[in-house]
Amino acid sequence: MKGLSKTVRAACAIPLLALAVAGCGSSEPSKDSTKASGGKPVTMRFSWWGSDPRHKATLDVIALYESKNPNVKIEGEYMGSDGYKEKLMTQLAGGSAPDIMQIDPPWLADFTKQFNSFADLSQMPDINTSGFDQEFVKNYGVVDGKLVGLPTGISGITMVLNKDVLTKAGIDPNTVWDWDTLLTEGAKVNKADPKSYFLATDQFATVIQILPPYLKQKTGNQIVKDDYTLGFTRADLVDAFTYLKKLFDNKVVEPAAQQYLFKAKYFENPVWANKQAGSTIEWIAAIGPRMEPFRSSADVSLLPIAKDAKDTGVIVRPANMLSINSKSPDKEEAAKFLNFFFNDKEALAILKDTRSVPPTEIGRQVSAEKNLIDPLILKAIEQASKKQGMADNVISLNIQLQNIMIDTVEKVGFGRSTPEAAADEMIKQFQSKLTELKAAAK
């Protein structure tokens, strides 16, 4: 899979959402999008992760489809993001995966190679994909020449702000953030209120949404290059860990002993839930429910970008993908449901922005006509698309490498390792794992 380049900024992609999407032309749903399947009874499983609004919307779409196709029963298997990947990998390895699966884009290539379990959607005439931006689909959904996933929405990384917390600390909510201002301005929040912190995060979010953009801005490289070599030097990594230590020392973030209790769930941390955090860095597709505790004072901004950045580090990518299990006995019925999910106007009105900005012309038309997209989601997508950096390559997002980073970040956060020692340890473990991964890829 290649990066997105400038696809999202193409005509019909984002800016016209705020108006009426009138100039994009027609992308009517397939004539079969609401047609009853008829025939034998079919029971399928559909798994996804997300928040309660996404769960409810998806279940309502399933119910609508079942009402139009009485012979079809779709069992929803849904949960939060924590543990979803591991559960799905176990199911794929054991041959018990659902018929339809929500997949994070970076997983597609690895899962395709490991399990060979995704059907080629381009060979399924029941799915009308004409309304998707074809480059967007190709860049993220095609692996080894096969279309193994369709994007559910356009997402990216943004900074979510609680203006009330910032104003109380004397911080201008319209600040243009770089890593230096994050330290100097961010320290003001805890000084104004010792129970509050500028940035809500956790060890998992740090290795996904803080360290990678910091390093990419510094080096202009991927974390790991396509040839399985490091995209950063020891000095670069020492600098990044030194910065992380400063976030703790300046009380810009909560102490590790508290924030690390909420791995991959910073939003369950009382600091966030009690509106004592000034910001977080988050995927745009997830910000709707994350802003609920302070909806009236919420805003979004670009993540920090260094003044001398060689790459912005700003990611724009699919929110997630939907794939069909190649081993499903009901692949044709699954394809009909996906066509309904992506192309039926009633379904699209129900789904709204629960997976961020819709990826199809018809989805954006329905959203614009009915005012279904949160203005802050639109603002975040527009900001990110204008400053879009390189897309992450697959190897940089390898879960084993991420786990090495998490372990190292925890040692720095708890003060059990200096930035220098942490850099040496992480580089040694990375190089060992990369040697193993490169050999396995041959």
Side-chain angles (χ1 to χ4, degrees):
M1 291 180 291
K2 297 180 180 179
L4 176 60
S5 72
K6 298 182 180 178
T7 300
V8 177
R9 278 171 271 174
C12 304
I14 298 300
L16 293 182
L17 273 169
L19 302 174
V21 203
C24 290
S26 174
S27 178
E28 288 300 318
S30 162
K31 293 180 181 179
D32 294 327
S33 66
T34 59
K35 182 180 178 181
S37 296
K40 65 173 184 175
V42 172
T43 298
M44 297 186 293
R45 295 157 56 216
F46 175 14
S47 68
W48 70 90
W49 77 87
S51 58
D52 288 341
R54 181 183 295 179
H55 298 331
K56 183 180 185 309
T58 307
L59 291 170
D60 287 348
V61 167
I62 289 173
L64 178 63
Y65 185 80
E66 290 175 339
S67 72
K68 296 175 181 291
N69 300 269
N71 65 306
V72 177
K73 172 69 175 175
I74 301 175
E75 298 174 348
E77 299 179 1
Y78 50 96
M79 58 187 290
S81 60
D82 191 27
Y84 179 93
K85 181 179 183 180
E86 290 74 17
K87 177 181 178 180
L88 186 57
M89 289 179 71
T90 300
Q91 291 175 326
L92 287 167
S96 61
D99 302 88
I100 302 168
M101 297 164 272
Q102 180 174 295
I103 307 287
D104 200 29
W107 308 346
L108 271 182
D110 281 345
F111 282 15
T112 299
K113 290 182 171 79
Q114 285 187 63
F115 308 112
N116 192 28
S117 290
F118 301 136
D120 186 350
L121 305 182
S122 68
Q123 302 303 308
M124 296 187 167
D126 288 310
I127 303 179
N128 175 13
T129 62
S130 63
F132 288 88
D133 183 294
Q134 296 305 304
E135 185 183 355
F136 195 54
V137 169
K138 179 182 178 182
N139 287 339
Y140 285 101
V142 174
V143 178
D144 295 335
K146 296 180 180 180
L147 177 60
V148 293
L150 287 171
T152 61
I154 303 168
S155 187
I157 292 180
T158 191
M159 201 169 176
V160 180
L161 306 175
N162 183 336
K163 293 186 291 185
D164 285 349
V165 173
L166 302 189
T167 301
K168 180 180 177 181
I171 301 171
D172 182 357
N174 296 315
T175 297
V176 177
W177 297 99
D178 59 33
W179 300 107
D180 292 333
T181 55
L182 186 69
L183 280 177
T184 57
E185 294 297 294
K188 295 178 180 179
V189 171
N190 186 258
K191 289 178 181 177
D193 177 6
K195 294 182 179 179
S196 297
Y197 296 87
F198 176 76
L199 183 66
T201 187
D202 58 70
Q203 62 272 58
F204 179 76
T206 297
V207 305
I208 299 295
Q209 294 150 349
I210 296 178
L211 283 183
Y214 187 94
L215 285 169
K216 285 199 286 186
Q217 288 172 24
K218 188 173 184 65
T219 67
N221 296 325
Q222 298 281 359
I223 301 302
V224 178
K225 297 178 183 178
D226 291 338
D227 63 359
Y228 291 82
T229 61
L230 299 179
F232 53 85
T233 65
R234 178 183 185 273
D236 295 329
L237 193 56
V238 169
D239 177 65
F241 284 141
T242 299
Y243 183 81
L244 178 61
K245 184 175 183 298
K246 288 179 181 177
L247 290 178
F248 287 104
D249 293 345
N250 291 19
K251 298 184 179 180
V252 176
V253 298
E254 195 177 16
Q258 293 162 249
Q259 65 160 283
Y260 287 174
L261 293 174
F262 300 92
K263 180 181 176 182
K265 294 182 179 180
Y266 74 87
F267 46 88
E268 293 184 0
N269 188 325
V271 169
W272 184 263
N274 294 335
K275 299 181 283 190
Q276 295 169 321
S279 70
T280 192
I281 299 173
E282 179 60 281
W283 291 109
I284 296 170
I287 67 174
R290 302 295 174 253
M291 297 185 294
E292 281 308 314
F294 52 91
R295 168 63 64 170
S296 62
S297 63
D299 202 355
V300 292
S301 176
L302 279 169
L303 80 159
I305 300 175
K307 292 183 176 68
D308 58 351
K310 296 179 181 177
D311 182 89
T312 65
V314 177
I315 297 295
V316 178
R317 45 152 266 189
N320 39 68
M321 315 291 281
L322 290 185
S323 299
I324 293 177
N325 190 341
S326 63
K327 299 175 177 64
S328 167
D330 300 300
K331 289 190 287 292
E332 290 185 4
E333 291 296 337
K336 291 175 183 177
F337 173 73
L338 285 196
N339 190 60
F340 179 83
F341 185 96
F342 285 116
N343 291 315
D344 184 83
K345 288 186 175 182
E346 286 184 87
L348 292 166
I350 292 170
L351 292 168
K352 299 188 291 188
D353 57 8
T354 56
R355 287 176 174 85
S356 196
V357 174
T360 61
E361 291 179 26
I362 184 64
R364 294 192 287 270
Q365 288 169 3
V366 169
S367 296
E369 290 166 4
K370 298 181 180 293
N371 234 358
L372 299 177
I373 305 268
D374 187 320
L376 288 182
I377 289 179
L378 281 178
K379 180 179 178 180
I381 287 287
E382 289 179 357
Q383 288 176 338
S385 66
K386 291 175 182 176
K387 289 288 187 178
Q388 181 182 341
M390 70 176 79
D392 290 318
N393 60 2
V394 173
I395 185 61
S396 294
L397 297 173
N398 178 274
I399 190 170
Q400 294 169 300
L401 297 178
Q402 288 181 354
N403 286 337
I404 291 171
M405 290 183 74
I406 288 173
D407 290 342
T408 313
V409 161
E410 287 181 346
K411 290 178 181 178
V412 174
F414 282 118
R416 294 200 293 259
S417 184
T418 64
E420 292 79 10
D424 289 337
E425 180 180 357
M426 187 178 125
I427 288 172
K428 181 180 179 181
Q429 292 188 43
F430 257 47
Q431 289 174 333
S432 175
K433 180 56 65 176
L434 288 170
T435 299
E436 177 186 322
L437 294 172
K438 184 176 181 179
K442 291 181 179 179

Short mmCIF file of all heavy atoms in Angstrom, two decimals, residues 52 100 102 130 140 175 219-220 270 300 367-368 373 383 404 426:
data_model
loop_
_atom_site.label_atom_id
_atom_site.label_comp_id
_atom_site.label_asym_id
_atom_site.label_seq_id
_atom_site.Cartn_x
_atom_site.Cartn_y
_atom_site.Cartn_z
N ASP A 52 -19.90 4.03 21.59
CA ASP A 52 -21.34 3.73 21.62
C ASP A 52 -22.11 4.32 20.43
O ASP A 52 -22.97 3.64 19.86
CB ASP A 52 -21.96 4.21 22.93
CG ASP A 52 -21.55 3.34 24.11
OD1 ASP A 52 -21.10 2.20 23.88
OD2 ASP A 52 -21.66 3.80 25.26
N ILE A 100 -17.73 -10.45 7.84
CA ILE A 100 -17.37 -9.08 7.52
C ILE A 100 -16.57 -8.53 8.69
O ILE A 100 -16.96 -8.71 9.85
CB ILE A 100 -18.62 -8.20 7.28
CG1 ILE A 100 -19.46 -8.79 6.15
CG2 ILE A 100 -18.22 -6.76 6.94
CD1 ILE A 100 -20.84 -8.16 6.03
N GLN A 102 -14.17 -5.19 10.33
CA GLN A 102 -13.57 -3.86 10.30
C GLN A 102 -12.08 -4.02 10.58
O GLN A 102 -11.69 -4.70 11.53
CB GLN A 102 -14.22 -2.97 11.35
CG GLN A 102 -13.67 -1.55 11.39
CD GLN A 102 -14.44 -0.68 12.35
OE1 GLN A 102 -15.62 -0.40 12.15
NE2 GLN A 102 -13.79 -0.23 13.42
N SER A 130 -18.09 2.79 -7.55
CA SER A 130 -17.84 3.92 -8.44
C SER A 130 -17.82 5.26 -7.70
O SER A 130 -17.23 6.22 -8.17
CB SER A 130 -18.89 3.97 -9.55
OG SER A 130 -20.19 4.17 -9.00
N TYR A 140 -4.92 2.44 -0.29
CA TYR A 140 -5.10 1.85 1.03
C TYR A 140 -5.77 0.49 1.02
O TYR A 140 -5.61 -0.28 1.97
CB TYR A 140 -5.89 2.80 1.93
CG TYR A 140 -5.07 3.97 2.41
CD1 TYR A 140 -5.18 5.22 1.81
CD2 TYR A 140 -4.17 3.81 3.44
CE1 TYR A 140 -4.42 6.29 2.25
CE2 TYR A 140 -3.40 4.88 3.89
CZ TYR A 140 -3.53 6.11 3.29
OH TYR A 140 -2.75 7.16 3.72
N THR A 175 -3.66 29.46 19.44
CA THR A 175 -2.21 29.27 19.32
C THR A 175 -1.88 28.30 18.19
O THR A 175 -2.55 27.28 18.02
CB THR A 175 -1.64 28.71 20.64
OG1 THR A 175 -1.86 29.66 21.69
CG2 THR A 175 -0.15 28.43 20.52
N THR A 219 13.36 14.20 10.89
CA THR A 219 14.21 13.47 9.95
C THR A 219 13.71 13.53 8.50
O THR A 219 14.50 13.35 7.57
CB THR A 219 14.29 11.99 10.34
OG1 THR A 219 12.99 11.38 10.18
CG2 THR A 219 14.75 11.83 11.79
N GLY A 220 12.41 13.73 8.32
CA GLY A 220 11.85 13.65 6.98
C GLY A 220 11.74 12.21 6.48
O GLY A 220 11.46 11.98 5.30
N PRO A 270 -9.81 10.08 34.76
CA PRO A 270 -10.61 11.14 35.37
C PRO A 270 -10.20 12.55 34.95
O PRO A 270 -11.04 13.45 34.90
CB PRO A 270 -10.38 10.92 36.88
CG PRO A 270 -10.09 9.46 37.00
CD PRO A 270 -9.32 9.11 35.77
N VAL A 300 -10.69 22.22 17.59
CA VAL A 300 -9.63 21.37 17.05
C VAL A 300 -8.53 22.24 16.47
O VAL A 300 -8.76 23.38 16.07
CB VAL A 300 -10.16 20.39 15.98
CG1 VAL A 300 -11.10 19.37 16.58
CG2 VAL A 300 -10.84 21.14 14.84
N SER A 367 -24.75 13.58 3.60
CA SER A 367 -24.30 14.28 4.80
C SER A 367 -24.49 15.79 4.68
O SER A 367 -24.90 16.46 5.63
CB SER A 367 -22.82 13.97 5.06
OG SER A 367 -22.65 12.61 5.33
N ALA A 368 -24.19 16.33 3.49
CA ALA A 368 -24.33 17.77 3.28
C ALA A 368 -25.80 18.18 3.27
O ALA A 368 -26.18 19.18 3.88
CB ALA A 368 -23.66 18.17 1.97
N ILE A 373 -22.63 16.01 9.40
CA ILE A 373 -21.23 15.95 9.81
C ILE A 373 -20.96 17.02 10.86
O ILE A 373 -21.30 18.19 10.68
CB ILE A 373 -20.29 16.19 8.62
CG1 ILE A 373 -20.61 15.19 7.52
CG2 ILE A 373 -18.83 16.08 9.06
CD1 ILE A 373 -19.86 13.93 7.53
N GLN A 383 -8.08 21.05 7.97
CA GLN A 383 -6.77 21.46 8.46
C GLN A 383 -5.71 20.41 8.13
O GLN A 383 -4.62 20.74 7.64
CB GLN A 383 -6.82 21.66 9.99
CG GLN A 383 -7.58 22.88 10.45
CD GLN A 383 -7.68 22.95 11.97
OE1 GLN A 383 -7.55 21.94 12.66
NE2 GLN A 383 -7.93 24.15 12.49
N ILE A 404 7.69 -2.65 21.38
CA ILE A 404 9.04 -2.29 21.85
C ILE A 404 9.05 -0.81 22.24
O ILE A 404 9.61 -0.43 23.29
CB ILE A 404 10.08 -2.56 20.75
CG1 ILE A 404 10.24 -4.08 20.54
CG2 ILE A 404 11.43 -1.94 21.11
CD1 ILE A 404 11.09 -4.45 19.34
N MET A 426 16.14 0.70 22.69
CA MET A 426 15.14 0.59 21.64
C MET A 426 15.78 0.30 20.28
O MET A 426 15.28 -0.53 19.51
CB MET A 426 14.30 1.87 21.55
CG MET A 426 13.13 1.74 20.58
SD MET A 426 12.11 3.24 20.54
CE MET A 426 12.17 3.59 18.78
#
